[in-house]
Amino acid sequence: MKRTNTFTVRPLSDNGEQLLRDLLDASAALWNEVNYLRLMRYNDKDGFKGDVWDADTGTLEGKYKDVLGASTAQQVIRKNSEAWRGFFRLKEQFHDESNTSVTEHPEPPGFRGNEVDGRQLKTVIRNTSYTVEWGDRSRLEILVGSELKDRYDHIGRLRLEIAGVPNWPDYEKQGRLDLWYDETDSTFRASQPVTVSDNARATPLAEEKAALDIGANNLIACTTTTGEQYLYEGRNLFDRFRETTREIARLQSKLEDDRYSSERIRRLYRKRTRRRDHAQEALCRDLMDRLYDKGVSMVYIGGLIDVLETHWSVETNAKTYNFWAFKKFTERLVCTAEEYGISVEVRSEAWTSQECPQCGSTDRTTRHQDTLTCPCGFEGHADLTASETFLERNTSEPVRPMARPVRFEWDDHDWSESPRSHESPKEQRTDPSTVHCDGNVASGESA
Ligand SMILES: [Zn+2]
């Protein structure tokens, strides 16, 4: 299994901190120089011949290798090449009409700040150029170039203290290490991809099943064969995502004609993505933890992409795609489930969201905000009902009577049980303050 350890690192002395900053700053400077040569060629500027791959990166590697070490200089250049390849791939998808997964025109790779306003401190270290020692006092050691070594009268291997315990301290192989300074909370961070033995996987406690309904207002509605129902609320997150998206649009409208973007815009994009990824990652873990405890060994996920294409407006579609990054989210779910030994199946069958569980009708039901009602007398939470129907379709065993659904809210760090957890949909609907609140949020965004 491929996994990633992320952790905070601290220099052991002021001298060490200065050295680390110089290393990250020089890496950013190299990135910028390489990127400049490529961008000028991409924009077909006078004096820059050929396409982006004709830029002379060899000379730049020579210029920086004494500071960074040859391997780090190479890695930074390679990473920039990957960013350009990624950009060309996205651009191709954007212009391919049969492909609807890229909805915004992609931008060429950006610069890592500049000398005047400060560069974005960031580097990448080859897998053979660093070592990690896990233990009571975990340590990271990285190679630095001879010029930095001399400047700081240093031994050439920079030692950093690692804070906290990683998810995967035992691994068979380590990959390229990303190392950067996180301005938002003034810490140095690292991300280490590792290959973990398949034996690290847990074994399910029983053979229960669960089905997931994925949406934007409720991120996940889940029903299990043990009779549990979970609802992860997404309104706050979606609102903040939308707020940031509006701010990005506002800043974009003020850009001069020949500019794609600005550092501020890029920072907002990064912030938006980071916030979403953090919430998604935590959701996957929280959910799989619960499902594992209930003995679930199989999870069904509805084929949501098909659903979006046929049932949602184009505008809502685009927003929701961006917000959820569905493919990535499904991959994340699969990946987390794997650690718990839980299998995941993505089923792209007919939509269950509008089906009445009592009489089976799909065209007589109405959905108002979160409530599904049917002339036959049924009334229930639309997304939870959908996950229940979806579960019944995928299992031959009877689904046990449902406990009261547990609702979770995101507070920027954790998913915790919401105070609304013990209200039934009916109670919510008749509570005027809740109706008002739902009405505001749902406008234009609800399914
Ligand atoms: Zn009915």
Side-chain angles (χ1 to χ4, degrees):
M1 295 191 285
K2 297 235 185 283
R3 291 295 177 269
T4 303
N5 285 324
T6 49
F7 44 86
T8 302
V9 292
R10 294 188 202 113
L12 298 167
S13 65
D14 290 347
N15 195 40
E17 170 156 359
Q18 206 44 56
L19 194 156
L20 178 59
R21 282 179 181 275
D22 282 4
L23 179 83
L24 300 182
D25 187 60
S27 301
L30 170 57
W31 170 284
N32 286 350
E33 286 208 48
V34 173
N35 205 50
Y36 176 79
L37 293 183
R38 289 178 167 164
L39 192 64
M40 289 302 115
R41 282 172 176 79
Y42 177 72
N43 289 337
D44 210 8
K45 294 282 188 223
D46 279 351
F48 294 89
K49 294 220 161 49
D51 68 19
V52 301
W53 306 117
D54 293 327
D56 178 13
T57 56
T59 305
L60 288 175
E61 186 186 319
K63 177 176 164 190
Y64 281 89
K65 75 174 193 320
D66 290 344
V67 178
L68 298 175
S71 75
T72 299
Q74 283 159 16
Q75 292 300 317
V76 170
I77 294 167
R78 188 168 299 170
K79 192 130 192 182
N80 183 266
S81 307
E82 287 165 16
W84 276 94
R85 274 197 291 274
F87 161 66
F88 287 129
R89 233 180 353 255
L90 280 180
K91 203 178 146 192
E92 212 169 272
Q93 287 171 8
F94 178 77
H95 290 292
D96 174 1
E97 277 176 16
S98 66
N99 187 330
T100 52
S101 63
V102 182
T103 54
E104 280 172 45
H105 195 291
E107 294 173 43
F111 292 97
R112 295 191 167 161
N114 58 56
E115 208 172 346
V116 181
D117 302 329
R119 281 185 279 256
Q120 217 183 304
L121 303 178
K122 194 171 181 178
T123 196
V124 53
I125 315 276
R126 196 170 66 193
N127 64 336
T128 50
S129 301
Y130 75 92
T131 53
V132 180
E133 223 178 280
W134 299 114
D136 292 341
R137 296 156 63 85
S138 298
R139 291 276 188 274
L140 167 69
E141 264 191 21
I142 54 177
L143 285 179
V144 302
S146 57
E147 202 180 305
L148 279 184
K149 197 174 121 187
D150 296 344
R151 193 185 302 166
Y152 290 96
D153 191 20
H154 200 272
I155 53 167
R157 292 188 73 92
L158 176 63
R159 302 192 83 192
L160 301 161
E161 180 190 4
I162 296 176
V165 185
N167 283 331
W168 306 99
D170 299 312
Y171 42 82
E172 293 170 340
K173 247 168 51 190
Q174 67 180 16
R176 187 172 73 174
L177 183 90
D178 279 308
L179 186 60
W180 71 97
Y181 182 69
D182 189 338
E183 281 171 44
T184 51
D185 53 4
S186 313
T187 39
F188 293 98
R189 294 186 190 285
S191 139
Q192 177 201 30
V194 292
T195 308
V196 193
S197 156
D198 284 349
N199 301 332
R201 217 178 279 181
T203 314
L205 305 172
E207 292 194 345
E208 302 293 346
K209 295 180 171 59
L212 309 184
D213 182 271
I214 304 178
N217 285 342
N218 296 300
L219 302 183
I220 280 194
C222 169
T223 301
T224 70
T225 46
T226 57
E228 253 72 34
Q229 290 201 307
Y230 306 121
L231 193 67
Y232 291 83
E233 298 182 342
R235 290 197 167 87
N236 295 346
L237 262 172
F238 200 23
D239 277 358
R240 291 179 65 186
F241 182 86
R242 203 170 40 174
E243 230 169 73
T244 313
T245 307
R246 278 203 199 112
E247 179 62 8
I248 290 171
R250 194 184 65 82
L251 292 172
Q252 272 167 341
S253 70
K254 288 177 152 184
L255 286 174
E256 285 160 35
D257 287 345
D258 61 338
R259 297 200 58 194
Y260 295 100
S261 189
S262 68
E263 189 47 43
R264 243 180 106 192
I265 291 175
R266 271 192 291 273
R267 205 167 287 164
L268 282 173
Y269 269 120
R270 280 199 300 273
K271 193 170 137 194
R272 195 181 76 169
T273 305
R274 204 166 45 218
R275 198 187 283 150
R276 179 196 63 204
D277 287 355
H278 183 196
Q280 280 190 354
E281 168 86 40
L283 192 161
C284 291
R285 212 153 275 287
D286 190 86
L287 176 66
M288 291 305 163
D289 236 19
R290 284 171 204 283
L291 296 182
Y292 181 80
D293 282 347
K294 295 294 172 195
V296 170
S297 65
M298 170 67 88
V299 171
Y300 299 102
I301 304 178
L304 220 100
I305 307 259
D306 300 341
V307 172
L308 284 179
E309 275 166 6
T310 48
H311 293 264
W312 290 29
S313 76
V314 174
E315 198 200 9
T316 311
N317 250 352
K319 282 181 186 166
T320 315
Y321 265 126
N322 285 334
F323 174 55
W324 256 127
F326 281 109
K327 203 166 160 278
K328 217 172 129 199
F329 180 57
T330 311
E331 279 164 12
R332 211 185 279 268
L333 272 169
V334 172
C335 205
T336 314
E338 198 185 13
E339 290 169 25
Y340 292 86
I342 299 175
S343 312
V344 175
E345 267 185 40
V346 181
R347 294 274 167 99
S348 60
E349 50 197 63
W351 205 24
T352 51
S353 277
Q354 300 280 11
E355 185 178 316
C356 170
Q358 211 161 273
C359 70
S361 166
T362 48
D363 48 5
R364 294 193 306 157
T365 54
T366 38
R367 180 179 176 145
H368 179 67
Q369 289 160 18
D370 276 347
T371 308
L372 187 75
T373 45
C374 181
C376 78
F378 174 81
E379 182 176 311
H381 188 286
D383 295 337
L384 286 172
T385 303
S387 70
E388 201 177 321
T389 308
F390 186 41
L391 180 64
E392 273 163 1
R393 277 198 197 173
N394 282 292
T395 175
S396 48
E397 303 119 71
V399 175
R400 277 175 233 168
M402 292 301 146
R404 282 215 152 170
V406 188
R407 291 162 174 269
F408 302 99
E409 273 173 358
W410 176 246
D411 68 2
D412 265 356
H413 298 285
D414 294 300
W415 288 94
S416 49
E417 207 171 315
S418 141
R420 288 168 60 199
S421 221
H422 299 291
E423 294 167 17
S424 76
K426 210 170 199 166
E427 282 162 335
Q428 268 177 60
R429 212 167 57 92
T430 49
D431 171 359
S433 66
T434 316
V435 169
H436 177 71
C437 165
D438 282 356
N440 274 342
V441 177
S443 62
E445 301 295 347
S446 62

